[in-house]
Amino acid sequence: MADATAPVELLVCTTCRAGMPTDVEGPRPGTQLFDALNASDLPDNVTIKGVECFSNCDFGCSITIRGGDERWTYVYGNFTGEDDAELVADGVTKYAATTDGLVPWRERSTHFRKNCIARIPPLETK
Amino acid sequence: MADATAPVELLVCTTCRAGMPTDVEGPRPGTQLFDALNASDLPDNVTIKGVECFSNCDFGCSITIRGGDERWTYVYGNFTGEDDAELVADGVTKYAATTDGLVPWRERSTHFRKNCIARIPPLETK
């Protein structure tokens, strides 16, 4: 049954370098974004998980949002790191309020409009 | 339980134009690829489904391969249309023979190595 409170997963690539040279040491932008999101105020039905590599390295930092058999899954890219935590939190909050994952175009941030890497339809369990 | 015969879905974007100008009429490359795949010899555990748009239009034709809670989901792009049906069939056949969706690098075709748009981890049901 359609349910806007169904659990949502926010997957964050913790290995993303966001274009940073590979010989730079220290925390990666993806890990910093992950940490900043963990400190963010997110809806109760959202769980954050770190993932090592979405194979979207040319357009990282990257996140994936999914949740439940009735929502579309979205991959978004081109985040810069922790500075984008609020932007990501806004997007996932809107997604988590839907039953099908489809946030109306006019409600999406410019970044989310322009940096959708791919979307995958829900499992058709009906 | 891990099972290489668990059902696999091969999702094909039927609206992909593969760079074809938007004012060209007639069947789209994505639909032609979809039709050619339906006529292909695929493993019994693979089901083909047409989908309208993965939002990966800049790198279409696109496909998504997924199946079961234990396999990674993959989005691949930059197929040209029906001429690539055999290439796609090869990739999905190898994927469908795995329990986790991870086809060893050396077994992947050059196209699959170079045109992975994104991958998404399995649902963690364990």
Side-chain angles (χ1 to χ4, degrees), chain B residues 57-119:
Chain B
C57 314
D58 288 344
F59 303 100
C61 300
S62 301
I63 65 161
T64 295
I65 310 176
R66 68 178 174 190
D69 288 348
E70 300 194 359
R71 287 196 188 91
W72 284 74
T73 294
Y74 281 85
V75 182
Y76 291 99
N78 293 313
F79 297 104
T80 53
E82 62 187 323
D83 291 347
D84 281 337
E86 194 172 335
L87 179 64
V88 173
D90 172 72
V92 72
T93 298
K94 289 171 179 167
Y95 177 92
T98 70
T99 56
D100 55 9
L102 301 172
V103 176
W105 185 258
R106 66 184 178 282
E107 294 178 18
R108 295 184 202 181
S109 66
T110 304
H111 187 99
F112 273 62
R113 288 182 186 174
K114 293 189 175 180
N115 295 282
C116 175
I117 303 302
R119 64 172 194 163

Side-chain angles (χ1 to χ4, degrees), chain A residues 2-126:
Chain A
D3 181 2
T5 63
V8 167
E9 283 184 324
L10 167 59
L11 307 174
V12 182
C13 173
T14 57
T15 50
C16 271
R17 293 179 180 276
M20 188 174 72
T22 54
D23 59 353
V24 173
E25 295 188 2
R28 296 189 185 187
T31 298
Q32 293 174 318
L33 175 61
F34 176 69
D35 291 344
L37 283 165
N38 270 308
S40 295
D41 188 25
L42 293 174
D44 290 340
N45 61 333
V46 175
T47 303
I48 306 179
K49 291 183 182 172
V51 174
E52 291 188 2
C53 198
F54 292 126
S55 285
N56 179 48
C57 314
D58 288 346
F59 303 101
C61 300
S62 302
I63 64 161
T64 295
I65 310 176
R66 69 178 174 190
D69 288 348
E70 299 194 359
R71 287 196 187 91
W72 285 74
T73 294
Y74 281 85
V75 182
Y76 291 99
N78 293 313
F79 297 104
T80 53
E82 62 188 324
D83 290 348
D84 281 337
E86 195 172 334
L87 179 63
V88 173
D90 172 72
V92 71
T93 298
K94 289 171 179 166
Y95 176 92
T98 69
T99 56
D100 55 8
L102 301 172
V103 176
W105 185 258
R106 66 184 178 282
E107 294 179 18
R108 297 183 201 182
S109 65
T110 303
H111 188 99
F112 274 61
R113 287 182 186 173
K114 293 189 174 178
N115 295 281
C116 176
I117 303 301
R119 64 172 195 163
I120 301 169
L123 295 168
E124 292 175 322
T125 51
K126 295 169 188 171

